[in-house]
Amino acid sequence: EDALKFLGKMFKNGSISKLMAESHARIVWVNDWYPMKDLTYAISVDPVQKRVMVVFRGAITTTDWRTTLRFGLQKIRNPVKDDYEGKNPILRVYSGFYKYLFRKRKDTGTTKYDEIANLVHKYGINGIGPEYNLFVTGHSLGGALSHLFCFFASSTLPVPK
């Protein structure tokens, strides 16, 4: 890490490049075992900022585009446990996005959501402590998946104290 500190001096103050060069964030997980068939994402941890970030990539494969263009709605149970006025127990989400995150894998029997949530927990709470913040982002298909992931994560992941 110290060997790369000189990079921060090479970029203009306030630039994204300088911010990235001086960041303490490190990529701890990249899922790209089957990039032509599977959801690809990365997880980084910044122990100084106490931040865990999940980044979903956008649509680049034929499978991704088929998923993105699958506009049918799927009924799901509302994961929000709290009661509130007007709460609907059943929600409808785009089936392609939902299946990307919640389809049961043949090899492990778990969902991609469970895999990511477990890694966030492992590298967040167990790695840098319970006071971590979770940031989730993505582009295109990744943006849609980040919204869906955040909705479920806000309902099921432990809340920092």
Side-chain angles (χ1 to χ4, degrees), residues 71-139:
F71 293 124
L73 296 176
Q74 180 164 341
K75 291 180 181 180
I76 63 168
R77 191 173 37 215
N78 189 337
V80 177
K81 292 175 181 40
D82 296 336
D83 280 330
Y84 55 89
E85 187 176 331
K87 179 180 177 182
N88 192 336
I90 302 296
L91 304 175
R92 291 180 297 186
V93 297
Y94 282 111
S95 62
F97 302 146
Y98 184 81
K99 285 179 183 172
Y100 241 121
L101 281 178
F102 293 99
R103 170 182 59 224
K104 294 266 186 192
R105 295 173 54 117
K106 291 178 184 175
D107 57 348
T108 63
T110 62
T111 67
K112 193 59 74 170
Y113 174 83
D114 291 333
E115 176 184 303
I116 297 167
N118 288 334
L119 289 166
V120 164
H121 190 269
K122 174 182 176 182
Y123 291 109
I125 291 176
N126 295 339
I128 58 177
E131 64 278 359
Y132 77 100
N133 290 301
L134 175 62
F135 289 77
V136 183
T137 190
H139 172 72

Side-chain angles (χ1 to χ4, degrees), residues 19-87:
L19 178 67
M20 288 174 58
E22 292 178 343
S23 172
H24 296 278
R26 297 295 172 251
I27 295 173
V28 295
W29 188 266
V30 176
N31 176 39
D32 66 350
W33 296 312
Y34 307 105
M36 300 310 285
K37 296 181 180 181
D38 205 4
L39 169 64
T40 300
Y41 65 92
I43 298 174
S44 71
V45 173
D46 185 332
V48 173
Q49 297 288 328
K50 297 195 184 313
R51 180 180 300 158
V52 177
M53 181 174 281
V54 178
V55 181
F56 293 102
R57 77 156 160 75
I60 60 169
T61 68
T62 304
T63 303
D64 293 338
W65 285 108
R66 270 192 228 116
T67 298
T68 301
L69 298 173
R70 192 178 296 151
F71 293 124
L73 296 176
Q74 180 164 341
K75 291 180 181 180
I76 63 168
R77 191 173 37 215
N78 189 337
V80 177
K81 292 175 181 40
D82 296 336
D83 280 330
Y84 55 89
E85 187 176 331
K87 179 180 177 182

